[in-house]
Amino acid sequence: MVPAEDGETTNSDALLRPPEQGHGADPGLTKTRRRQGSPARKLAQTRKIKDKKDFKETENPEEAARRHKEQELKPLYKELLYTVAHRHGKPATKEIHTDDQLYHYIQQAFNMTDEEHKSLLRKVQETQSPAYGLMVTVKEAKGILGKDISGFSDPYCILTILHNEKEKSTRKAMAKAKKAVVKDAASEKEIFQTDIKKQTLNPKWDETFVLEFEDMADASLHVEMWDKDEELSLVQKLEDIRSNLHGLARMIKDAKKEKGEDDFLGRIVLKLENLHCIEDRWYTLEPCTETYPDRGKCHLQLKFIHKERDETLSAGRSAYVNYCGILQQFVQAYISKQQGNGSWKGDLCEEGTALLEFYATQNDLSPFLQDLGKWVAYSKLYQSLEVDSTVLFQQLTSIEYHWDQQELPYQQTQELGDSLHGFLQYGLCLVAKYRDIFLPKPTSTPRLQTLLRVMVQICKTRAFQKLNPAQFELHVEVTDAVKTGTKEWFNIKKGLHQPMTKDLSEIVSALSKLITEVKEDIRISKDMWNRVFVSAVQLDVFTVVYQILDSLLAVEMRETLAQVEKQMEQSLANSLFPVYLSLQDIHKEKAFLQKRTNLLQLTNFHECFREALPYWLNKAFSTTMERVEKAVEVDKLQPLQGGSVPIKHSSSAVDLAACLQPIAKLWDQLAWPDPEEGFMLMVKLTEDMCKISSTYCQMLKQRVKKLSETSDPGSAINMLCVVVNDLEHLRSVLTKLPGQLNWAGLRERTRLVITDTQFQNTLPSQLQHTQAALTREIRSAMETLGRQLNTDIEAYVRNMATRHRLPSKSTEDAVVPLMRYLEKELQYMNENLVQENFNGLLTPLWNSSLKILHQVSTQEGGNLVYFQRLDHTLQCLEQCFHADGNGLPLETLHTEEYKVVRAHLTQNALNSRQLIEKFLERKVYQQKVVSGDKYGAVTLITCYK
């Protein structure tokens, strides 16, 4: 109950309460939280909260709306009709509205029927008309004339309202021309006079007068400024003459005046019909003659008011209370028409603005009371309608400006304190429920930020500091609200995900869903809400939320996992893995905490999952093994096609690399913090991957054997090439394993618990053993390919060097079949084998070719053509395997066996003359290099025939 200004008590809360709940806020938040420990508890201790009467929940809504209309809306409606009927002056709006336009707007805003409007208008027309008045405040003047000897004046003002007829009659009645008409205008009660300000050219009065009038037609406000003429002593006059040379002339002029006659300084004449409801400006003082045209300016504040007003319109409610109710009704009507266009930003249509101005001026409501009324109305509307927080911020700024300018009445002072206090309570309730009210969207975060800024501004205002003297720290209260709201949010989510039965899988599933909700909330708090709270109230809300949820989640997790202890099985362990991963993600967010008051309870959460860890490893191994088996089962052992770079391995090799990645990823996901247990975990993972690789080799061999049974020899060789490439690809994958699993980082973590010898004898040795097995398999496959090629090379060589075919072809033509075969086969191998395997095939194939040539050359007694063909074959093979530097290097080709074969074939491929020439060349060379002995030398001439 808010007492009115004249001592009556009116139900202001009922007047400001909307008839039905709006869409802008949570209805549950309008109730004051009274439980122990709520954020508003300390605030509630600073001021006694007035009880509010709420309608009973069982009341008929239609009856409540009817009663609200009769008791609250119709009295306000009559006040507005009365205001329109007796309005004077122009509003500040751009457009001037007729009475019918204003009546229509009021009817729409208050949702009145035509019958109700006519009935209420008829009642208003039967009421007593008000006494009209023009409130004039003479603020100050500047630059006026100096009429005294000293060069200053003793100015004062006289004010009255004159009609044209009265002014004319007054002028005719005057015996001689006067400079002004106010002094002789009428009786003294119609004229008002300010105080006299001594010796100044810039007087300040700040005096207010109310001038009554009945009709403003042809009426004018007259303000005349005069200099008071008072006699001075002879000593004073002589002193003025000495200090001012112009004083003598002034003195002579004063001597010609009648004794006691005042000097005219200027006047202001304003027609009432040209004035606005409120005028506040500087007016130029006009002269009556052109002697002194520049007479300065005077600051006047004008306002059309009702000195007396019918008190039966609103059952004795104060004008301030009515203003608040009218304002709220106009805002509700405006917002209802703007539905879907966002929150209300303080705008009203021109009719509403004009009516509020008329009502405020007629009832002489000060700007401070108007701003207070707007704050009270808007702060209450904020709790039920979609009102932009910036509107509240603007009103707080205005109240802060007026606080030192004007003193509020006691009742309004109390109401301001209660309103500020109540809004802080409501704001803290919103802060506690910010997750549900301000959704994490770009359009919602500014609303929360502005609300927090309004709360900060409330605490900074001198009004709140004076009216709420108890200690109140907004930062602490907001922190408590966030903590309380976070606990409530967690308990609500926990209830929503409560399992319906006691089945362990459902219990774990409920925990997983709850942890997922918590993880998302922590992420949003870090990425979005933290910026809002830090910028507004310097609160690191992420740290506050994280620590609360860390504590609550730790208790919930331990209670849940205690139920599954000693009952672990594979399916249950599988459902626990997402729980572990979510907790891992939450734990990683601790790196963004600004400060920690104590140790986080989820720090060692991994200890609760030791029982499930072996099941996770087994699941990863079995799943990977199944995928590898399926990959080999559908593999056709054909190179993959497509892409700019040809892929020489088959689909199963690609699938295997992809299948091994999840095991490596499992290591990253687990991120097991205990170093010794982490080492054992790595040993197990490495062992599993090596076992999968070895199994893959065996499955490939079985697969190629199975496919070769129904394939021709050429296709079998093709599949064998693909198998070799698959194994080489697997070896490259295993080679990268230490880097992918970060063995170096593990080595650093375990340096204090695992020796270097133990580390090297475990992890690297496992990998090396598997790689060695792969190398042997590759070598075995290459030998298989080489044996087939060696057989064909030997057949070509023997066929080429057969004795009965010697005369049939030339030496060059005889080698062509072998070289074509090699060119074809080596080109195929180069295209279908990876470079490492192709190079590994060339070297043993070259060595085998040398052995074949050596065996053929020694097994059959040959003639000259026979050895010439073999020698030419060796040269062609050398060129083929060297391939102009693209194949085997010469150092690899020129082995000792090559040198022996080459010498043997070269010597046997020469004819007798060539042999004699070679022999003689050697002898001649020996003669040149061998020196003679002491017995001399004998030269022999021989002849061979």
Side-chain angles (χ1 to χ4, degrees):
M1 306 291 288
V2 179
E5 294 177 349
D6 55 357
E8 83 279 11
T9 302
T10 55
N11 192 345
S12 175
D13 286 336
L15 187 63
L16 293 176
R17 186 185 304 115
E20 59 183 1
Q21 191 68 33
H23 63 277
D26 185 354
L29 296 179
T30 58
K31 299 180 180 178
T32 304
R33 297 187 299 173
R34 302 184 181 277
R35 60 179 173 276
Q36 185 75 11
S38 65
R41 183 171 179 269
K42 185 185 295 183
L43 187 61
Q45 296 173 355
T46 66
R47 174 171 301 276
K48 183 178 179 180
I49 303 298
K50 298 183 173 84
D51 296 332
K52 297 182 179 181
K53 287 186 178 180
D54 294 326
F55 292 121
K56 296 181 180 179
E57 296 180 359
T58 57
E59 186 176 12
N60 188 344
E62 295 182 358
E63 177 63 22
R66 187 197 64 78
R67 182 170 51 168
H68 176 75
K69 194 172 191 178
E70 290 292 332
Q71 297 181 359
E72 310 298 341
L73 297 186
K74 286 188 176 180
L76 297 179
Y77 195 83
K78 290 188 291 184
E79 287 283 350
L80 287 172
L81 295 178
Y82 191 88
T83 299
V84 175
H86 302 288
R87 63 187 173 118
H88 288 302
K90 303 175 183 178
T93 57
K94 296 180 180 180
E95 184 179 353
I96 304 299
H97 302 89
T98 64
D99 290 354
D100 291 338
Q101 289 175 327
L102 295 178
Y103 286 150
H104 178 72
Y105 170 76
I106 298 170
Q107 183 178 353
Q108 295 294 323
F110 281 76
N111 196 24
M112 294 291 177
T113 63
D114 292 338
E115 290 75 12
E116 290 173 331
H117 171 74
K118 293 177 181 179
S119 174
L120 294 174
L121 182 60
R122 189 164 47 250
K123 292 180 180 180
V124 169
Q125 291 172 346
E126 295 172 356
T127 59
Q128 181 181 356
S129 299
Y132 302 122
L134 178 64
M135 180 179 287
V136 182
T137 301
V138 184
K139 306 289 287 186
E140 58 182 322
K142 62 182 179 181
I144 65 176
L145 293 178
K147 289 289 188 176
D148 294 341
I149 297 175
S150 61
F152 294 96
S153 294
D154 299 330
Y156 68 93
C157 295
I158 55 178
L159 307 86
T160 192
I161 292 178
L162 294 177
H163 292 270
N164 287 347
E165 304 250 339
K166 196 170 187 181
E167 184 177 350
K168 290 177 182 178
S169 63
T170 302
R171 287 185 179 275
K172 290 179 181 179
M174 297 171 63
K176 56 182 179 179
K178 294 288 184 179
K179 295 181 179 180
V181 298
V182 176
K183 285 190 173 183
D184 299 324
S187 61
E188 293 183 358
K189 66 178 182 179
E190 297 175 346
I191 299 177
F192 297 88
Q193 178 180 322
T194 66
D195 294 337
I196 300 171
K197 300 300 178 181
K198 298 292 187 180
Q199 296 296 294
T200 179
L201 300 180
N202 300 299
K204 294 183 179 181
W205 289 284
D206 201 16
E207 297 181 38
T208 301
F209 309 94
V210 178
L211 285 69
E212 292 188 26
F213 65 92
E214 294 180 359
D215 186 9
M216 66 187 303
D218 297 327
S220 301
L221 169 67
H222 287 252
V223 179
E224 295 179 355
M225 189 178 296
W226 294 81
D227 171 42
K228 186 65 177 178
D229 184 27
E230 297 182 358
E231 292 190 30
L232 298 176
S233 65
L234 181 60
V235 176
Q236 289 175 317
K237 291 183 178 181
L238 291 175
E239 183 64 27
D240 289 340
I241 292 173
R242 293 191 189 97
S243 61
N244 189 350
L245 297 178
H246 300 286
L248 181 59
R250 172 63 63 185
M251 190 173 182
I252 295 172
K253 184 177 181 181
D254 290 344
K256 297 179 180 179
K257 289 194 309 181
E258 296 181 5
K259 184 178 180 180
E261 183 180 352
D262 297 341
D263 289 321
F264 179 76
L265 297 178
R267 69 176 179 178
I268 300 170
V269 180
L270 303 173
K271 290 186 175 296
L272 298 189
E273 59 187 11
N274 295 333
L275 296 178
H276 287 81
C277 300
I278 300 176
E279 295 272 0
D280 190 347
R281 51 176 290 196
W282 287 86
Y283 296 92
T284 302
L285 291 168
E286 300 292 341
C288 289
T289 65
E290 298 298 327
T291 307
Y292 300 104
D294 188 6
R295 293 173 176 262
K297 294 183 177 181
C298 185
H299 185 191
L300 300 179
Q301 189 179 74
L302 311 175
K303 183 191 298 184
F304 286 106
I305 66 169
H306 291 170
K307 289 188 63 177
E308 297 178 2
R309 192 179 176 97
D310 195 306
E311 297 181 355
T312 63
L313 297 172
S314 57
R317 289 193 181 99
S318 68
Y320 166 75
V321 174
N322 288 336
Y323 180 85
C324 294
I326 293 169
L327 174 64
Q328 174 163 315
Q329 192 64 29
F330 284 175
V331 174
Q332 285 179 330
Y334 183 87
I335 293 177
S336 64
K337 291 183 179 180
Q338 303 295 322
Q339 286 184 356
N341 295 331
S343 58
W344 181 64
K345 299 184 182 301
D347 303 323
L348 280 179
C349 62
E350 289 196 347
E351 293 90 340
T353 303
L355 286 167
L356 287 171
E357 184 180 3
F358 282 133
Y359 188 84
T361 53
Q362 290 175 8
N363 291 276
D364 192 22
L365 289 178
S366 66
F368 196 178
L369 284 176
Q370 294 180 48
D371 287 331
L372 174 60
K374 290 178 181 178
W375 160 256
V376 172
Y378 296 168
S379 61
K380 289 182 180 295
L381 283 170
Y382 183 85
Q383 303 180 25
S384 57
L385 299 175
E386 203 169 342
V387 178
D388 196 302
S389 302
T390 54
V391 179
L392 306 179
F393 192 79
Q394 294 170 1
Q395 296 308 316
L396 282 174
T397 305
S398 299
I399 290 175
E400 182 72 0
Y401 169 77
H402 292 302
W403 182 254
D404 291 332
Q405 306 291 328
Q406 179 183 352
E407 185 175 354
L408 285 174
Y410 174 78
Q411 302 297 346
Q412 276 67 49
T413 302
Q414 294 299 109
E415 183 176 14
L416 174 59
D418 291 342
S419 177
L420 296 176
H421 161 79
F423 187 84
L424 282 177
Q425 274 191 318
Y426 181 74
L428 290 173
C429 292
L430 294 185
V431 170
K433 296 180 177 294
Y434 70 91
R435 295 173 175 85
D436 303 320
I437 298 174
F438 306 98
L439 300 179
K441 296 188 292 187
T443 56
S444 301
T445 51
R447 292 173 51 212
L448 175 59
Q449 188 171 24
T450 309
L451 171 64
L452 293 173
R453 287 180 59 216
V454 170
M455 297 172 67
V456 171
Q457 185 66 20
I458 288 176
C459 296
K460 287 183 177 180
T461 57
R462 292 187 294 273
F464 179 79
Q465 295 171 1
K466 183 177 180 179
L467 300 175
N468 294 271
Q471 187 68 24
F472 177 82
E473 295 184 10
L474 182 62
H475 184 276
V476 175
E477 296 297 328
V478 172
T479 303
D480 292 342
V482 171
K483 290 180 179 179
T484 302
T486 301
K487 293 177 182 178
E488 292 177 353
W489 175 86
F490 182 86
N491 291 329
I492 291 174
K493 294 298 182 182
K494 177 182 174 182
L496 289 175
H497 299 300
Q498 194 71 23
M500 302 300 294
T501 65
K502 294 184 178 181
D503 183 68
L504 292 180
S505 61
E506 288 194 14
I507 294 175
V508 173
S509 177
L511 177 64
S512 178
K513 294 176 181 177
L514 176 61
I515 294 177
T516 301
E517 296 262 18
V518 171
K519 181 178 71 171
E520 181 65 13
D521 185 74
I522 289 176
R523 183 192 66 81
I524 295 175
S525 297
K526 174 175 66 72
D527 296 340
M528 184 170 293
W529 296 125
N530 202 55
R531 293 194 301 270
V532 175
F533 281 90
V534 169
S535 62
V537 291
Q538 289 75 52
L539 173 63
D540 180 17
V541 74
F542 167 70
T543 299
V544 174
V545 169
Y546 188 95
Q547 291 178 341
I548 293 294
L549 293 179
D550 171 78
S551 176
L552 295 173
L553 198 57
V555 174
E556 187 67 20
M557 182 195 68
R558 292 189 178 98
E559 290 179 356
T560 302
L561 294 183
Q563 301 180 44
V564 303
E565 191 175 4
K566 306 295 185 182
Q567 303 183 54
M568 189 63 62
E569 57 181 12
Q570 187 64 56
S571 60
L572 190 59
N574 295 343
S575 61
L576 280 174
F577 189 66
V579 176
Y580 180 87
L581 294 183
S582 297
L583 290 173
Q584 187 72 263
D585 294 336
I586 294 174
H587 188 61
K588 290 178 181 177
E589 297 287 356
K590 73 180 185 301
F592 298 95
L593 295 175
Q594 298 299 319
K595 57 182 179 180
R596 305 182 192 178
T597 57
N598 47 31
L599 184 66
L600 297 175
Q601 297 191 28
L602 286 176
T603 300
N604 297 320
F605 71 92
H606 67 283
E607 296 176 352
C608 301
F609 296 89
R610 281 199 179 100
E611 190 177 356
L613 184 58
Y615 293 93
W616 297 343
L617 299 178
N618 179 68
K619 174 66 175 178
F621 175 79
S622 59
T623 302
T624 303
M625 187 62 73
E626 291 175 1
R627 293 176 180 176
V628 171
E629 290 176 356
K630 291 181 180 179
V632 175
E633 184 178 350
V634 299
D635 194 353
K636 301 299 183 181
L637 297 181
Q638 296 177 355
L640 295 175
Q641 303 297 326
S644 58
V645 179
I647 300 176
K648 299 180 180 181
H649 46 263
S650 64
S651 60
S652 63
V654 179
D655 294 338
L656 176 64
C659 292
L660 290 178
Q661 287 302 318
I663 298 181
K665 184 180 179 181
L666 177 63
W667 167 254
D668 294 331
Q669 290 175 327
L670 292 175
W672 205 259
D674 185 271
E676 189 171 4
E677 292 178 352
F679 174 75
M680 301 305 299
L681 181 61
M682 177 60 73
V683 171
K684 174 60 176 173
L685 292 175
T686 305
E687 180 182 352
D688 289 345
M689 284 191 280
C690 291
K691 186 183 297 183
I692 292 171
S693 300
S694 301
T695 305
Y696 174 71
C697 293
Q698 301 302 320
M699 288 189 291
L700 268 186
K701 291 169 64 176
Q702 296 175 3
R703 181 65 176 170
V704 73
K705 182 179 179 180
K706 179 179 179 180
L707 294 178
S708 298
E709 294 176 352
T710 58
S711 302
D712 56 88
S715 299
I717 293 178
N718 296 343
M719 289 186 288
L720 189 57
C721 290
V722 173
V723 169
V724 172
N725 293 334
D726 289 344
L727 297 180
E728 185 63 37
H729 181 71
L730 175 58
R731 186 166 61 177
S732 66
V733 170
L734 294 179
T735 304
K736 299 175 183 177
L737 199 59
Q740 292 177 344
L741 297 177
N742 192 17
W743 282 6
L746 180 64
R747 171 71 286 211
E748 292 299 322
R749 289 176 50 203
T750 60
R751 194 169 294 279
L752 298 178
V753 293
I754 305 295
T755 63
D756 289 339
T757 303
Q758 185 179 1
F759 191 92
Q760 294 296 329
N761 291 339
T762 307
L763 291 178
S765 62
Q766 281 184 331
L767 193 58
Q768 291 170 4
H769 177 75
T770 303
Q771 288 177 321
L774 285 177
T775 302
R776 289 194 297 269
E777 294 293 341
I778 293 173
R779 188 181 299 118
S780 174
M782 295 301 297
E783 289 176 355
T784 302
L785 287 175
R787 282 196 298 270
Q788 181 63 41
L789 292 175
N790 291 334
T791 303
D792 294 340
I793 291 174
E794 183 177 0
Y796 275 105
V797 171
R798 293 187 180 278
N799 187 42
M800 172 193 66
T802 302
R803 185 181 302 273
H804 65 272
R805 290 195 177 187
L806 289 179
S808 61
K809 294 182 179 180
S810 64
T811 300
E812 291 76 8
D813 294 338
V815 181
V816 169
L818 172 62
M819 300 313 301
R820 286 180 178 174
Y821 169 79
L822 282 177
E823 181 180 1
K824 176 184 176 182
E825 293 299 326
L826 292 181
Q827 181 180 359
Y828 174 82
M829 296 299 176
N830 187 32
E831 292 175 352
N832 291 277
L833 290 176
V834 296
Q835 192 62 41
E836 294 82 357
N837 292 335
F838 180 69
N839 292 338
L841 177 65
L842 288 180
T843 301
L845 189 61
W846 167 253
N847 294 330
S848 299
S849 300
L850 292 177
K851 291 180 180 180
I852 292 171
L853 287 176
H854 191 263
Q855 291 175 359
V856 172
S857 65
T858 57
Q859 286 178 357
E860 298 185 17
N863 54 22
L864 180 62
V865 176
Y866 177 79
F867 285 106
Q868 286 177 346
R869 288 186 177 183
L870 293 180
D871 183 55
H872 184 65
T873 301
L874 178 61
Q875 296 177 25
C876 292
L877 289 174
E878 182 180 358
Q879 294 176 1
C880 178
F881 281 90
H882 183 57
D884 296 329
N886 296 319
L888 295 178
L890 293 177
E891 295 78 6
T892 304
L893 294 174
H894 294 172
T895 61
E896 292 298 327
E897 186 173 3
Y898 165 80
K899 295 176 182 179
V900 172
V901 174
R902 181 61 187 274
H904 175 69
L905 294 179
T906 301
Q907 292 177 2
N908 286 279
L910 297 177
N911 54 32
S912 299
R913 182 174 293 276
Q914 291 171 335
L915 286 173
I916 293 172
E917 290 176 355
K918 287 287 185 182
F919 174 78
L920 294 178
E921 287 177 1
R922 185 183 305 170
K923 292 300 181 180
V924 171
Y925 173 75
Q926 291 176 355
Q927 286 183 353
K928 291 180 179 180
V929 299
V930 176
S931 60
D933 53 21
K934 59 182 179 179
Y935 300 109
V938 177
T939 300
L940 299 178
I941 298 176
T942 61
C943 178
Y944 177 76
K945 185 178 180 180

